[in-house]
Every structure is written in C-alpha cells, then in structure tokens.
Amino acid sequence: MTDSAATLIAAVIAASVAGLGLVWSIVSFLMMRRSQRAAEARQEWARRYQQALAQALSADAREAAAGLVLIATLSQADWATDEDRATAASVLSSLSPAPGAPAAEVRATVLGGIRNRDVASELEHASSGPKSRFEVYLDGVGAYRWRLTTAGGEVLAVSGSHSSEGAALQALELARRELGGG
C-alpha cells in the first residue's frame, strides 16, 4: 500500500467518523428539542388544568360550569396522566353526588379516560358527595380567597387574601391535605 492510498483511507475514515458525529449531534439535538417541547406542553397543560380546577371550585355557578367543561376536556388531552385523571375524579366526587349532575357526569367521563382499570374501579366505588366544599372566589376588594362550606351552605372557614387564583388554589390544596381531604 502506498503512502497516498493510506492517507486516502485515513481521510475517508476520519470523514466517516466526523459525519457520524455530525449525524449523532443532529439526532441528539432533535431528541432534546422534542423532549423540551413536551415538557413545555405539559407545563402549559398543568397551568390550564389548575385554572380549570379553580373555576370548578368557584362560588359563581357559570364559572363553575365552565371549569367543569374545561376539566373534562383537559382530562382527555394527551398530556393528562392517570394520576391527573384520578385527582380530577376525586375533586369532582366532592362537588356533587347526584347522578346526572354536571360534576357527576364530568367525573364519569374522567373515570372513563383512566387507562388503569383497577384505579378507575376503585375510584368508581369511592364514596362521593359533598360533606363539605372548598370554593375559590374573588372578594369585594379584588383579592382571591378560598372558603370551606358545608353541604348546606354554612361557611366553616375562610382563607386570608391571595394575590392570584393560583396562590389561593395552592393554599386551598394545602388546607385540604391538612384537613384530610375535606
């Protein structure tokens, strides 16, 4: 083998390795970008879901109805997990026990979307109906608050003011956990 043939072979091998490196870099970039877009879409879904939940817990009937529609729609989205659907079903079971009530219908739709049938079956048999209800509302001075009311409408607790609906909802979820699901 001549020196020029060996040089040519070395150059071809080097170019092949560089080409493979370039291809790998492009594939890695595309995979990372896809993962990043999926994470961004999931975050946006979570933000919308949080807003829908706050609406569903609103004392305003029209806003609560809109929140239920949004929860039903978002629960069917590609980014919703079984855990998300189970959480929604649990929250919806505390809103209305009556079959045919909007919250009960949305709950049935959400349960139907849970892929793990054991989880769905467990949630279907869980007791439903409001023993008490958390609501997020906008007070007279423009601050968001949550309140806990009985099924009969008696106010049991009212939160302090919060600057946003999301902050009120986070405080509500903390109170719900501390009270054992309220």
Side-chain angles (χ1 to χ4, degrees):
M1 178 180 302
T2 65
D3 285 344
S4 61
T7 304
L8 178 62
I9 291 172
V12 168
I13 290 172
S16 297
V17 168
L20 287 174
L22 178 62
V23 168
W24 179 249
S25 294
I26 291 170
V27 169
S28 295
F29 171 78
L30 293 174
M31 288 171 46
M32 181 188 70
R33 184 65 188 138
R34 182 176 182 211
S35 176
Q36 188 178 34
R37 284 186 178 160
E40 289 169 358
R42 175 74 178 147
Q43 285 177 334
E44 178 62 19
W45 179 91
R47 186 191 65 73
R48 290 179 183 182
Y49 194 83
Q50 184 178 32
Q51 183 179 9
L53 181 58
Q55 281 184 273
L57 294 170
S58 173
D60 179 87
R62 288 188 306 186
E63 190 170 300
L68 290 175
V69 169
L70 289 172
I71 287 173
T73 302
L74 289 168
S75 293
Q76 301 306 315
D78 292 339
W79 303 113
T81 64
D82 274 358
E83 183 178 87
D84 297 326
R85 290 181 186 99
T87 299
S90 295
V91 169
L92 292 167
S93 68
S94 71
L95 296 179
S96 178
E105 290 178 9
V106 171
R107 182 175 185 270
T109 300
V110 170
L111 286 172
I114 295 177
R115 291 178 187 97
N116 184 329
R117 296 316 312 156
D118 292 334
V119 170
S121 177
E122 193 70 33
L123 288 168
E124 285 170 0
H125 295 97
S127 64
S128 62
K131 297 157 198 77
S132 57
R133 176 183 170 151
F134 283 100
E135 301 172 332
V136 174
Y137 66 99
L138 193 58
D139 69 12
V141 296
Y144 289 92
R145 297 177 182 271
W146 61 260
R147 64 180 160 221
L148 175 63
T149 59
T150 66
E154 179 184 351
V155 176
L156 299 175
V158 177
S159 74
S161 63
H162 300 278
S163 59
S164 70
E165 214 172 22
L169 189 59
Q170 286 177 344
L172 180 154
E173 287 302 322
L174 178 62
R176 184 189 307 266
R177 280 193 303 271
E178 290 296 319
L179 295 171

